[in-house]
Amino acid sequence: MENFNQNFVQKKETNGVAVAGLITSIVALICSPIPLLCWVLWIVGLILSCVGLGKKARKKLAVAGLLISIIDFIVLIVMLFVGAAAVVDASEEMNKPKVETVVDSSVNNEWNY
């Protein structure tokens, strides 16, 4: 009877590192508007996904984590350029000379009909 139970119970191998890389990459993608946190999560997700590729079990999760990390990197670069453009635009706006309106009180602006 023991032999019967041992033949039918198969333990699925899991790849915990790949799962952690996938989850970290998804969280990094969600946290894209928070720059520093997103960069840290992106690096951790990328490393965990790459390590998960080296494991035998469940490489698909590691590949998914790696693809999401690549997408996240593209989003981060775009947001970096958008942020830099906003800073440049704001600095140009601050450096514009201010125009003052001067009212000359000696000129009579009344119309005589």
Side-chain angles (χ1 to χ4, degrees), residues 51-63:
V51 170
L53 283 175
K55 306 280 182 176
K56 291 182 181 178
R58 300 205 179 204
K59 286 189 176 186
K60 290 179 183 178
L61 292 175
V63 171

Side-chain angles (χ1 to χ4, degrees), residues 37-50:
L37 176 66
C38 189
W39 282 102
V40 170
L41 288 174
W42 170 72
I43 290 172
V44 171
L46 182 68
I47 291 170
L48 289 174
S49 297
C50 289

Side-chain angles (χ1 to χ4, degrees), residues 93-110:
E93 194 69 32
M94 289 177 62
N95 290 333
K96 280 185 181 178
K98 298 205 184 314
V99 178
E100 293 183 20
T101 306
V102 178
V103 178
D104 189 7
S105 61
S106 65
V107 176
N108 189 359
N109 290 331
E110 295 180 18

Side-chain angles (χ1 to χ4, degrees), residues 17-33:
V17 177
V19 173
L22 178 66
I23 291 172
T24 308
S25 298
I26 291 171
V27 171
L29 191 59
I30 292 170
C31 293
S32 292

